[in-house]
């Protein structure tokens, strides 16, 4: 199994970042950006930029008939997942490998309902400090993609194929043995950092230093840690320390996606973060006051949008 063709659906921060990186290394046409006609027209008219350089993307609309891709990468927001699943139907074949870089802990299962869990590797994107303003993306740290099988099989054919491709393309990555736990761990990070920076209208620098914002972030993460024990995927303080180390290396001026959404007056993924935590807390009888505060404050901010 060798990866020669890649399809990406979703030109948010991650789609632009990894799409631009791959477009400079893959033959023209072997990297395909899947988008509807309206978006393609907009991208072609306004162009897309990454660190000041114009991206040279090959666009494909969902209706076009193409050879199935060897690798499909989902980089949409959670609310766009169902449309994205439908959009890539012509790109999924018998041997296609699927990676989902979405936030949260459910996208793999949702995609698997349509295309089969046998095609999916669990994946999280971490360590990037990209900021997207309209059609321009800037970043200092590219971060990496962590991926693997749910069952801790380190050397499956799919894992080996993706690792070999990323090596060839100089994509930073890590194969993680307990990938489902790592997915939960990343969810814990997102619940903390995304919501904290959003409600404080700040950046990574605010949570890299001691103070109220950092304390609130860690408290929100600990609420997820308690829930993870109830769900049979126990996270620990070591997992929190791991993410604090990751955060310490990001550009202080960078900010996570939810903070960028609030700044641009876009509706955020609050239901995916504190919304999910509140539902799990109710399910298990676990108090989650920090996430309750996050949920109420972000909903209040969004209620003032036009």
């Amino acid at each position: 199994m060798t990866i020669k063709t890649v399809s990406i659906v979703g030109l948010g921060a991650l789609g632009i970042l990894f799409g631009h990186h791959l477009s400079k290394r893959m033959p023209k046409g072997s990297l395909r950006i899947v988008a509807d006609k309206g978006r393609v027209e907009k991208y072609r008219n306004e162009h897309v930029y990454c660190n000041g350089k114009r991206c040279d993307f090959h666009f494909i609309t969902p209706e076009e008939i193409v050879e199935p891709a060897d690798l499909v990468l989902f980089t949409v927001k959670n609310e766009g997942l169902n449309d994205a699943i439908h959009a890539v139907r012509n790109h999924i074949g018998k041997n296609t490998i699927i990676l989902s870089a979405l936030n949260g802990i459910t996208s793999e299962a949702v995609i698997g309902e349509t295309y089969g869990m046998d095609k999916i590797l669990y994946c999280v994107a971490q360590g990037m400090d990209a900021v997207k303003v309209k059609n321009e993306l800037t970043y200092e740290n590219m971060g990496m993609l962590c991926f693997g099988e749910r069952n801790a099989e380190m050397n499956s054919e799919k894992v080996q194929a993706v690792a070999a491709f990323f090596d060839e393309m100089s994509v930073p990555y890590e194969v993680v043995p307990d990938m489902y736990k790592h997915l939960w761990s990343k969810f814990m990070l997102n619940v903390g950092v995304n919501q904290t920076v959003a409600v404080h209208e700040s950046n990574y620098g605010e949570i890299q230093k001691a103070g109220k914002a950092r304390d609130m972030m860690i408290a929100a993460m600990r609420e997820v840690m308690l829930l993870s024990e109830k769900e049979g995927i126990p996270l620990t303080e070591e997992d929190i320390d791991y993410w604090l180390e990751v955060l310490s290396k990001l550009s202080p001026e960078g900010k996570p996606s939810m903070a960028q959404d609030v700044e641009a007056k876009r509706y955020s993924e609050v239901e995916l973060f504190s919304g999910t935590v509140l539902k799990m807390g109710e399910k298990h009888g676990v108090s989650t006051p920090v996430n309750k505060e996050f949920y109420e404050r972000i909903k209040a901010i969004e209620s003032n949008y036009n």
Side-chain angles (χ1 to χ4, degrees), residues 42-68:
K42 180 181 178 181
Y43 297 146
R44 285 175 174 163
N45 289 337
E46 300 178 3
H47 309 299
V48 180
Y49 297 88
C50 184
N51 279 348
K53 296 182 179 179
R54 180 173 159 181
C55 299
D56 183 20
F57 289 146
H58 176 60
F59 295 105
I60 295 285
T61 62
E63 297 78 20
E64 294 182 58
I65 304 301
V66 295
E67 287 293 321

Side-chain angles (χ1 to χ4, degrees), residues 126-154:
Q126 66 183 62
M128 58 280 302
D129 49 21
V131 174
K132 181 173 178 283
V133 179
K134 295 183 179 179
N135 60 337
E136 298 188 23
L137 181 81
T138 56
Y139 69 89
E140 289 186 17
N141 297 286
M142 183 178 182
M144 65 177 172
L145 293 174
C146 297
F147 66 91
E149 300 278 7
R150 175 168 177 158
N151 62 4
E153 184 181 353
M154 292 286 286

Side-chain angles (χ1 to χ4, degrees), residues 83-113:
D83 287 343
I85 290 171
H86 183 70
V88 299
R89 65 192 183 282
N90 291 330
H91 297 252
I92 306 295
K94 179 181 178 181
N95 298 314
T96 301
I97 300 170
I98 298 173
L99 293 179
S100 169
L102 274 70
N103 290 322
I105 51 179
T106 60
S107 66
E108 282 85 358
V110 174
I111 297 167
E113 287 176 3

Side-chain angles (χ1 to χ4, degrees), residues 3 11 14 20 75 77 87 101 120 129 137 172 198 233 253 301 305:
I3 295 173
L11 270 188
L14 289 176
H20 181 62
T75 53
K77 287 287 187 71
I120 291 173
D129 49 21
L137 181 81
I233 308 153
E253 289 75 35
I301 291 170
Y305 294 169

